[in-house]
Amino acid sequence: MDLLYDHLMRARATGAVFARTVAEPPWGLRLGGSIQLAVHTVVRGRGYLWLEDPGSAVELSPGTVSLVRGGPDHHIGHAPGADCLEPQEFRARHAHAGPGDNPQATVFLCGAYQFSGEVGSGLLDALPQVMTLTPAIDDPLRDVVTLLSRELVGTEPAQQIVLDRLLDLLLVLAIRSDFRRSATAPPWYRASADPRLSSALQAIHENTAHPWTVPELAALSGLSRAAFARAFREALGRPPMQYLTEWRMTQARDHLRADSLTLAQIADAVGYTSPFAFAAAFRRHHAAPPGAWRQRERSTADTRTVTTHPGS
């Protein structure tokens, strides 16, 4: 297991192509900030992407991939500041445009991703608000965009499945590319490439429930206890046991929000010998017992759902 894989799997990222569009100028599309992560790529022609200020628009040309985190609305248009329609109206207006009809038409693909729990939130928080990548010729990201372009030429059986899978690849490669080059990549990602720490971090993530000790983790890393503890703190900003506890608490919160597991089952899953030991540790970190915390979080989620979808 590598740590990026672990985070993506725990985040339970689910995505779908929500717009595969041929748009003839003038055109513009507004996308709401409630989309946790939007993925855009232009396969023919060009467009511009901006948030509130059209003056800061970035150009999207064939092969470019752009990821946009939720928050403010964002816009894509034939020119910065173009009039932008809501998705339903946009699709209706451009429903009959074909890629061969107008050489000035832009062909682009948009995807939307939803992430679950705090692991997903942590991944999103590590990304910039707008990330635009123009992959090099030998970058596999470019190969995926090329495959998308070819798939969009016609209509084939099971095409939606192919597009969804390629979009998943696009997302993973884009995040990996950003983390590799970014000074603000998560500390766990940078530390996972450190040969002094990678074995210990992988062990923690593969078997969080194991009763790890600093000497045991240091032995996995081939370091003395003192050298390991020092390297770990320098790379991750906290001692090994604090990192382990925080990771266990992160998993526990996601279990409490999303699962029907009992407190005893959650305790066992995240490495506590009994529900009482788990409850004590959870109370120390959250100033509330896990049962009360779960009830409060689910009540908040229910209220948010009713507010967001009145009458549903």
Side-chain angles (χ1 to χ4, degrees):
M1 179 193 295
D2 67 79
L3 267 65
L4 181 56
Y5 169 86
D6 185 39
H7 279 71
L8 284 168
M9 292 300 292
R10 292 183 186 279
R12 297 191 285 275
T14 55
V17 175
F18 64 87
R20 183 184 57 134
T21 302
V22 179
E24 299 178 351
W27 60 270
L29 171 65
R30 188 190 72 82
L31 295 162
S34 59
I35 301 169
Q36 283 192 317
L37 184 66
V39 185
H40 306 290
T41 185
V42 169
V43 296
R44 202 193 80 181
R46 65 190 60 248
Y48 292 85
L49 186 150
W50 67 96
L51 300 179
E52 292 93 346
D53 179 15
S56 63
V58 295
E59 184 177 353
L60 303 180
S61 56
T64 301
V65 177
S66 187
L67 271 63
V68 186
R69 282 197 294 117
D73 296 348
H74 66 281
H75 311 77
I76 306 174
H78 74 281
D83 288 337
C84 292
L85 305 176
E86 297 297 319
Q88 185 174 358
E89 186 179 358
F90 179 87
R91 285 193 294 269
R93 177 169 297 185
H94 298 280
H96 303 296
D101 296 342
N102 185 344
Q104 295 184 324
T106 297
V107 182
F108 64 98
L109 184 73
C110 301
Y113 273 87
Q114 190 77 18
F115 290 77
S116 298
E118 295 196 23
V119 177
S121 296
L123 269 177
L124 290 173
D125 290 344
L127 296 173
Q129 186 66 59
V130 178
M131 177 178 74
T132 302
L133 301 169
T134 303
I137 293 176
D138 59 348
D139 191 321
L141 193 58
R142 181 178 287 271
D143 296 332
V144 175
V145 175
T146 299
L147 286 172
L148 280 166
S149 303
R150 291 176 180 171
E151 188 64 26
L152 290 169
V153 169
T155 301
E156 297 288 341
Q159 186 177 55
Q160 187 66 43
I161 294 175
V162 174
L163 291 173
D164 286 347
R165 298 300 179 272
L166 288 174
L167 194 66
D168 288 343
L169 282 174
L170 198 71
L171 173 70
V172 174
L173 290 172
I175 291 176
R176 189 170 70 182
S177 178
D178 179 70
F179 283 2
R180 187 186 297 125
R181 67 177 186 163
S182 173
T184 59
W188 55 261
Y189 182 84
R190 297 195 301 271
S192 68
D194 187 333
R196 301 172 303 166
L197 303 173
S198 58
S199 295
L201 279 170
Q202 287 178 16
I204 287 172
H205 282 256
E206 286 178 358
N207 191 0
T208 306
H210 183 80
W212 296 108
T213 64
V214 174
E216 191 174 11
L217 292 169
L220 289 174
S221 301
L223 298 174
S224 70
R225 174 177 177 168
F228 170 73
R230 182 169 57 252
F232 197 101
R233 181 188 282 272
E234 289 172 355
L236 289 124
R238 52 184 60 78
M241 290 298 99
Q242 182 181 344
Y243 178 89
L244 173 61
T245 300
E246 289 176 357
W247 181 239
R248 285 172 169 168
M249 290 294 109
T250 296
Q251 290 190 37
R253 289 192 296 272
D254 280 352
H255 282 306
L256 288 167
R257 282 196 185 97
D259 300 339
S260 58
L261 297 180
T262 65
L263 295 186
Q265 289 170 323
I266 295 174
D268 185 63
V270 300
Y272 290 91
T273 55
S274 71
F276 305 105
F278 166 60
F282 193 92
R283 187 191 288 270
R284 283 195 300 272
H285 282 79
H286 303 90
W293 191 92
R294 167 186 262 173
Q295 185 175 7
R296 184 184 69 216
E297 287 293 308
R298 291 186 174 181
S299 296
T300 301
D302 290 344
T303 301
R304 189 182 303 121
T305 300
V306 170
T307 302
T308 307
H309 305 285
S312 61

